[in-house]
Amino acid sequence: MRGTLATLLFLLFVSGCAEANYEKGLEARRDGDYTEALNQWMLASDDPRCMTAIAVMYDYGEGVEQDEDKAAYWYHKAANKGNYRAMAQLANFSLSGVGGETRSPMVWRTKLEALQGKDPYVDYVLAFFYANAHGGERRLDDALSLLKPLVEQGFEPFVPLYRDIEQRIADRNAGVQEAGALALEMAQGEVSFDARWKDRRIVVSGYVSAVRRLNDYGYALKLGGPNPSLVPKDNLLAVFYAPSLANPLTGLNPGDYIKLDGVYLGRVPFALEPSALTLLGCNLVKALSRDIRF
């Protein structure tokens, strides 16, 4: 979820304070002079907004060598002074342990809930946590409710996530099973999973993580959440897709949101991964191809 974060954070920062160093830093960054931006923010480095701005530069390697540990250091300093945006980014870090962040997504989700409504970026990150079951149950409707007023206020960077959640809610209401939910169900008991689904048609939705050819059998399509690199491996679902050779999986890219339907055959013949769903007679629907990642 980090691909657009630097721009998103600074877009939100523009509505911030009037201190000279902070504003001069913003102006320098807009002009592409990252060295001057960093200098200005360092001159006022006791300001939590400047701390967060410095953290973003290290986070994304803007004018400095990318260093997640230094980014985390500055985010922590800003968060300790009450900067909501820095807190939200540390919550992001908790999803993969970036910068040595050891507090769990569950802890951060609780913190974000306590800060709801205090900053647009906090609500954005909380919506992402809700939508993808980070730190607790999946709450798609609550995620959409958080984002809707922000989108209506003109926060354009929030639109892709908002549209994505709309699509997922529509799919859920149509009986589509999310890949992550099926993976968890399978992990809880393969026998009970097979009893429920074997020989039934399943419509699965998820985000493409990888696609590979399986010799004479078709293709292995691995699905996960919006950010496969940030989701624990045991929460990823490997969907082994066995279409006819006349229907290859072409044109799919990592991060594409797709729907796939087919008849579940049980674990054989593709017992290649802990959560491998073998489907035959598949149809593929490519629903979205938008970068909603941080």
Side-chain angles (χ1 to χ4, degrees):
M1 153 173 113
R2 301 177 62 210
T4 61
L5 179 59
T7 300
L8 176 56
L9 280 170
F10 281 112
L11 282 172
L12 294 173
F13 271 133
V14 171
S15 62
C17 68
E19 278 83 353
N21 292 114
Y22 181 71
E23 295 293 344
K24 287 179 180 177
L26 284 177
E27 183 177 353
R29 183 188 182 276
R30 284 193 291 265
D31 292 339
D33 189 347
Y34 297 117
T35 300
E36 178 60 18
L38 183 60
N39 287 339
Q40 289 295 331
W41 289 326
M42 283 294 190
L43 288 172
S45 61
D46 58 342
D47 184 328
R49 292 158 305 179
C50 291
M51 294 174 184
T52 307
I54 294 167
V56 174
M57 296 191 79
Y58 280 112
D59 202 351
Y60 289 92
E62 293 188 345
V64 295
E65 185 175 351
Q66 187 176 23
D67 190 323
E68 291 174 336
D69 291 331
K70 287 184 178 179
Y73 168 79
W74 285 102
Y75 282 132
H76 277 291
K77 283 176 68 73
N80 288 339
K81 285 203 169 188
N83 186 275
Y84 301 134
R85 221 151 288 159
M87 295 177 194
Q89 185 56 0
L90 288 173
N92 274 339
F93 279 12
S94 76
L95 297 178
S96 57
V98 171
E101 177 55 43
T102 58
R103 283 168 289 186
S104 71
M106 182 180 297
V107 169
W108 275 112
R109 176 159 158 166
T110 301
K111 284 181 175 289
L112 294 176
E113 288 174 333
L115 298 173
Q116 183 177 330
K118 294 184 179 297
D119 186 282
Y121 188 63
V122 167
D123 290 354
Y124 180 65
V125 175
L126 181 57
F128 186 84
F129 271 53
Y130 280 165
N132 298 293
H134 293 314
E137 65 177 340
R138 191 180 316 279
R139 293 167 56 180
L140 288 174
D141 296 293
D142 289 337
L144 196 71
S145 295
L146 278 171
L147 291 174
K148 185 175 181 179
L150 299 174
V151 169
E152 291 174 346
Q153 292 170 40
F155 286 92
E156 289 298 322
F158 296 169
V159 171
L161 180 59
Y162 180 76
R163 299 300 182 208
D164 173 78
I165 294 171
E166 277 191 321
Q167 178 68 59
R168 291 167 66 184
I169 289 174
D171 286 343
R172 179 200 64 193
N173 293 343
V176 177
Q177 305 294 315
E178 288 203 344
L182 283 179
L184 289 175
E185 182 182 340
M186 188 178 289
Q188 290 167 0
E190 182 181 327
V191 173
S192 61
F193 185 89
D194 279 7
R196 179 185 179 195
W197 291 109
K198 195 169 186 302
D199 298 323
R200 289 183 55 193
R201 182 167 292 275
I202 307 178
V203 184
V204 185
S205 66
Y207 298 81
V208 175
S209 175
V211 182
R212 63 188 176 88
R213 193 77 164 82
L214 286 177
N215 298 322
D216 296 334
Y217 297 109
Y219 296 83
L221 173 61
K222 185 174 285 190
L223 299 178
N227 296 280
S229 64
L230 298 182
V231 179
K233 294 297 183 184
D234 58 357
N235 286 341
L236 293 176
L237 175 66
V239 177
F240 292 89
Y241 178 69
S244 69
L245 296 180
N247 183 26
L249 288 174
T250 58
L252 291 181
N253 298 302
D256 285 352
Y257 175 78
I258 66 166
K259 287 178 287 186
L260 179 75
D261 79 323
V263 176
Y264 174 56
L265 299 183
R267 291 298 302 272
V268 293
F270 305 126
L272 304 179
E273 299 206 16
S275 48
L277 188 71
T278 308
L279 301 177
L280 283 182
C282 296
N283 296 304
L284 176 68
V285 178
K286 183 177 175 182
L288 291 174
S289 182
R290 297 191 179 98
D291 182 4
I292 65 163
R293 291 170 286 182
F294 279 62

Short mmCIF file of all heavy atoms in Angstrom, two decimals, residues 231-263:
data_model
loop_
_atom_site.label_atom_id
_atom_site.label_comp_id
_atom_site.label_asym_id
_atom_site.label_seq_id
_atom_site.Cartn_x
_atom_site.Cartn_y
_atom_site.Cartn_z
N VAL A 231 1.41 -9.21 3.22
CA VAL A 231 0.50 -10.16 3.84
C VAL A 231 1.27 -11.42 4.19
O VAL A 231 2.02 -11.93 3.37
CB VAL A 231 -0.66 -10.50 2.90
CG1 VAL A 231 -1.59 -11.51 3.54
CG2 VAL A 231 -1.43 -9.25 2.53
N PRO A 232 1.14 -11.94 5.42
CA PRO A 232 1.84 -13.18 5.78
C PRO A 232 1.54 -14.29 4.79
O PRO A 232 0.44 -14.42 4.28
CB PRO A 232 1.26 -13.51 7.17
CG PRO A 232 0.81 -12.20 7.71
CD PRO A 232 0.33 -11.41 6.52
N LYS A 233 2.54 -15.11 4.52
CA LYS A 233 2.41 -16.15 3.50
C LYS A 233 1.25 -17.09 3.78
O LYS A 233 0.60 -17.56 2.86
CB LYS A 233 3.71 -16.94 3.40
CG LYS A 233 4.90 -16.13 2.89
CD LYS A 233 4.67 -15.64 1.48
CE LYS A 233 5.88 -14.90 0.95
NZ LYS A 233 5.65 -14.32 -0.39
N ASP A 234 0.97 -17.37 5.06
CA ASP A 234 -0.09 -18.32 5.34
C ASP A 234 -1.47 -17.71 5.12
O ASP A 234 -2.48 -18.39 5.25
CB ASP A 234 0.02 -18.87 6.77
CG ASP A 234 -0.01 -17.79 7.83
OD1 ASP A 234 -0.06 -16.60 7.46
OD2 ASP A 234 0.03 -18.14 9.01
N ASN A 235 -1.53 -16.43 4.80
CA ASN A 235 -2.81 -15.82 4.46
C ASN A 235 -3.00 -15.69 2.96
O ASN A 235 -3.99 -15.16 2.50
CB ASN A 235 -2.94 -14.44 5.11
CG ASN A 235 -3.20 -14.55 6.60
OD1 ASN A 235 -3.62 -15.58 7.09
ND2 ASN A 235 -2.95 -13.48 7.32
N LEU A 236 -2.03 -16.16 2.19
CA LEU A 236 -2.17 -16.13 0.75
C LEU A 236 -2.84 -17.43 0.29
O LEU A 236 -2.64 -18.48 0.89
CB LEU A 236 -0.80 -16.02 0.06
CG LEU A 236 -0.06 -14.71 0.26
CD1 LEU A 236 1.31 -14.79 -0.41
CD2 LEU A 236 -0.85 -13.54 -0.31
N LEU A 237 -3.62 -17.32 -0.76
CA LEU A 237 -4.29 -18.49 -1.30
C LEU A 237 -3.73 -18.79 -2.69
O LEU A 237 -3.74 -17.93 -3.55
CB LEU A 237 -5.79 -18.24 -1.39
CG LEU A 237 -6.60 -19.35 -2.06
CD1 LEU A 237 -6.58 -20.62 -1.22
CD2 LEU A 237 -8.04 -18.90 -2.28
N ALA A 238 -3.22 -19.99 -2.88
CA ALA A 238 -2.77 -20.41 -4.20
C ALA A 238 -3.95 -21.06 -4.91
O ALA A 238 -4.45 -22.08 -4.47
CB ALA A 238 -1.61 -21.38 -4.09
N VAL A 239 -4.39 -20.45 -5.97
CA VAL A 239 -5.49 -21.00 -6.76
C VAL A 239 -4.88 -21.64 -8.00
O VAL A 239 -4.28 -20.96 -8.81
CB VAL A 239 -6.49 -19.91 -7.17
CG1 VAL A 239 -7.58 -20.50 -8.06
CG2 VAL A 239 -7.11 -19.27 -5.94
N PHE A 240 -5.02 -22.95 -8.12
CA PHE A 240 -4.45 -23.63 -9.27
C PHE A 240 -5.53 -23.75 -10.34
O PHE A 240 -6.49 -24.49 -10.22
CB PHE A 240 -3.89 -24.99 -8.83
CG PHE A 240 -2.70 -24.80 -7.96
CD1 PHE A 240 -2.86 -24.69 -6.59
CD2 PHE A 240 -1.46 -24.64 -8.51
CE1 PHE A 240 -1.76 -24.46 -5.79
CE2 PHE A 240 -0.36 -24.41 -7.71
CZ PHE A 240 -0.51 -24.32 -6.34
N TYR A 241 -5.31 -23.01 -11.38
CA TYR A 241 -6.30 -22.77 -12.42
C TYR A 241 -5.98 -23.68 -13.59
O TYR A 241 -4.87 -23.64 -14.12
CB TYR A 241 -6.20 -21.30 -12.80
CG TYR A 241 -7.10 -20.82 -13.90
CD1 TYR A 241 -8.46 -20.73 -13.72
CD2 TYR A 241 -6.56 -20.41 -15.11
CE1 TYR A 241 -9.28 -20.24 -14.71
CE2 TYR A 241 -7.37 -19.92 -16.11
CZ TYR A 241 -8.73 -19.84 -15.90
OH TYR A 241 -9.54 -19.35 -16.89
N ALA A 242 -6.89 -24.54 -13.96
CA ALA A 242 -6.61 -25.51 -15.01
C ALA A 242 -7.57 -25.34 -16.17
O ALA A 242 -8.50 -26.12 -16.36
CB ALA A 242 -6.71 -26.93 -14.44
N PRO A 243 -7.36 -24.33 -16.99
CA PRO A 243 -8.24 -24.12 -18.14
C PRO A 243 -7.81 -24.98 -19.31
O PRO A 243 -6.77 -25.63 -19.26
CB PRO A 243 -8.02 -22.64 -18.46
CG PRO A 243 -6.58 -22.44 -18.12
CD PRO A 243 -6.31 -23.32 -16.93
N SER A 244 -8.57 -24.95 -20.37
CA SER A 244 -8.14 -25.60 -21.60
C SER A 244 -6.99 -24.79 -22.19
O SER A 244 -6.82 -23.61 -21.87
CB SER A 244 -9.30 -25.66 -22.60
OG SER A 244 -9.60 -24.34 -23.05
N LEU A 245 -6.21 -25.43 -23.03
CA LEU A 245 -5.08 -24.72 -23.62
C LEU A 245 -5.52 -23.57 -24.51
O LEU A 245 -4.74 -22.68 -24.81
CB LEU A 245 -4.21 -25.70 -24.42
CG LEU A 245 -3.54 -26.80 -23.60
CD1 LEU A 245 -2.71 -27.71 -24.50
CD2 LEU A 245 -2.67 -26.20 -22.51
N ALA A 246 -6.77 -23.59 -24.92
CA ALA A 246 -7.28 -22.52 -25.76
C ALA A 246 -7.64 -21.27 -24.95
O ALA A 246 -7.99 -20.25 -25.51
CB ALA A 246 -8.51 -22.99 -26.54
N ASN A 247 -7.55 -21.37 -23.63
CA ASN A 247 -7.95 -20.25 -22.78
C ASN A 247 -6.83 -19.90 -21.79
O ASN A 247 -6.97 -20.05 -20.59
CB ASN A 247 -9.23 -20.61 -22.02
CG ASN A 247 -9.74 -19.45 -21.18
OD1 ASN A 247 -9.48 -18.29 -21.49
ND2 ASN A 247 -10.45 -19.78 -20.11
N PRO A 248 -5.68 -19.43 -22.30
CA PRO A 248 -4.55 -19.16 -21.41
C PRO A 248 -4.78 -17.92 -20.56
O PRO A 248 -5.58 -17.05 -20.90
CB PRO A 248 -3.39 -18.94 -22.39
CG PRO A 248 -4.05 -18.40 -23.62
CD PRO A 248 -5.38 -19.09 -23.71
N LEU A 249 -4.06 -17.85 -19.45
CA LEU A 249 -4.11 -16.67 -18.59
C LEU A 249 -3.10 -15.66 -19.11
O LEU A 249 -1.93 -15.68 -18.74
CB LEU A 249 -3.77 -17.05 -17.15
CG LEU A 249 -4.81 -17.84 -16.38
CD1 LEU A 249 -4.26 -18.26 -15.03
CD2 LEU A 249 -6.05 -17.00 -16.19
N THR A 250 -3.56 -14.79 -19.97
CA THR A 250 -2.67 -13.78 -20.52
C THR A 250 -3.15 -12.41 -20.10
O THR A 250 -4.32 -12.19 -19.82
CB THR A 250 -2.66 -13.85 -22.06
OG1 THR A 250 -4.00 -13.66 -22.55
CG2 THR A 250 -2.11 -15.17 -22.54
N GLY A 251 -2.23 -11.49 -20.02
CA GLY A 251 -2.58 -10.11 -19.72
C GLY A 251 -2.77 -9.80 -18.25
O GLY A 251 -3.17 -8.68 -17.91
N LEU A 252 -2.52 -10.76 -17.37
CA LEU A 252 -2.65 -10.48 -15.95
C LEU A 252 -1.34 -9.92 -15.41
O LEU A 252 -0.26 -10.36 -15.79
CB LEU A 252 -3.00 -11.76 -15.18
CG LEU A 252 -4.39 -12.34 -15.41
CD1 LEU A 252 -4.57 -13.58 -14.55
CD2 LEU A 252 -5.47 -11.32 -15.11
N ASN A 253 -1.47 -8.96 -14.50
CA ASN A 253 -0.31 -8.34 -13.89
C ASN A 253 -0.44 -8.41 -12.37
O ASN A 253 -1.55 -8.42 -11.83
CB ASN A 253 -0.19 -6.87 -14.30
CG ASN A 253 0.01 -6.71 -15.79
OD1 ASN A 253 0.95 -7.25 -16.35
ND2 ASN A 253 -0.90 -6.00 -16.45
N PRO A 254 0.69 -8.44 -11.66
CA PRO A 254 0.62 -8.41 -10.20
C PRO A 254 -0.18 -7.21 -9.71
O PRO A 254 -0.02 -6.10 -10.21
CB PRO A 254 2.08 -8.31 -9.77
CG PRO A 254 2.83 -8.97 -10.89
CD PRO A 254 2.08 -8.58 -12.14
N GLY A 255 -1.08 -7.44 -8.77
CA GLY A 255 -1.92 -6.36 -8.24
C GLY A 255 -3.28 -6.26 -8.89
O GLY A 255 -4.15 -5.56 -8.38
N ASP A 256 -3.50 -6.94 -10.05
CA ASP A 256 -4.82 -6.92 -10.67
C ASP A 256 -5.83 -7.62 -9.75
O ASP A 256 -5.56 -8.68 -9.20
CB ASP A 256 -4.81 -7.65 -12.01
CG ASP A 256 -4.15 -6.86 -13.12
OD1 ASP A 256 -3.83 -5.68 -12.88
OD2 ASP A 256 -3.93 -7.42 -14.21
N TYR A 257 -6.99 -7.01 -9.62
CA TYR A 257 -8.09 -7.63 -8.87
C TYR A 257 -8.93 -8.42 -9.86
O TYR A 257 -9.39 -7.87 -10.87
CB TYR A 257 -8.94 -6.56 -8.19
CG TYR A 257 -10.17 -7.11 -7.48
CD1 TYR A 257 -10.06 -7.71 -6.24
CD2 TYR A 257 -11.42 -7.01 -8.06
CE1 TYR A 257 -11.17 -8.23 -5.59
CE2 TYR A 257 -12.55 -7.52 -7.42
CZ TYR A 257 -12.41 -8.11 -6.18
OH TYR A 257 -13.52 -8.61 -5.54
N ILE A 258 -9.11 -9.71 -9.60
CA ILE A 258 -9.83 -10.55 -10.55
C ILE A 258 -10.86 -11.41 -9.82
O ILE A 258 -10.83 -11.56 -8.60
CB ILE A 258 -8.88 -11.47 -11.34
CG1 ILE A 258 -8.23 -12.49 -10.40
CG2 ILE A 258 -7.83 -10.67 -12.09
CD1 ILE A 258 -7.55 -13.62 -11.14
N LYS A 259 -11.75 -11.97 -10.61
CA LYS A 259 -12.68 -12.99 -10.13
C LYS A 259 -12.48 -14.24 -10.99
O LYS A 259 -12.27 -14.14 -12.20
CB LYS A 259 -14.12 -12.49 -10.23
CG LYS A 259 -14.47 -11.45 -9.20
CD LYS A 259 -15.89 -10.93 -9.37
CE LYS A 259 -16.00 -10.03 -10.57
NZ LYS A 259 -17.34 -9.39 -10.67
N LEU A 260 -12.55 -15.39 -10.35
CA LEU A 260 -12.31 -16.66 -11.01
C LEU A 260 -13.36 -17.64 -10.52
O LEU A 260 -13.63 -17.71 -9.32
CB LEU A 260 -10.91 -17.16 -10.62
CG LEU A 260 -10.45 -18.50 -11.16
CD1 LEU A 260 -10.08 -18.35 -12.63
CD2 LEU A 260 -9.24 -18.97 -10.37
N ASP A 261 -13.99 -18.37 -11.44
CA ASP A 261 -14.94 -19.37 -10.98
C ASP A 261 -14.63 -20.71 -11.61
O ASP A 261 -14.12 -20.82 -12.71
CB ASP A 261 -16.39 -18.94 -11.24
CG ASP A 261 -16.81 -19.16 -12.68
OD1 ASP A 261 -15.97 -18.94 -13.58
OD2 ASP A 261 -17.96 -19.53 -12.91
N GLY A 262 -14.89 -21.75 -10.85
CA GLY A 262 -14.65 -23.11 -11.32
C GLY A 262 -15.15 -24.10 -10.29
O GLY A 262 -15.57 -23.74 -9.20
N VAL A 263 -15.11 -25.38 -10.64
CA VAL A 263 -15.56 -26.44 -9.75
C VAL A 263 -14.36 -26.92 -8.93
O VAL A 263 -13.32 -27.30 -9.47
CB VAL A 263 -16.17 -27.61 -10.54
CG1 VAL A 263 -16.54 -28.76 -9.60
CG2 VAL A 263 -17.39 -27.13 -11.31
#
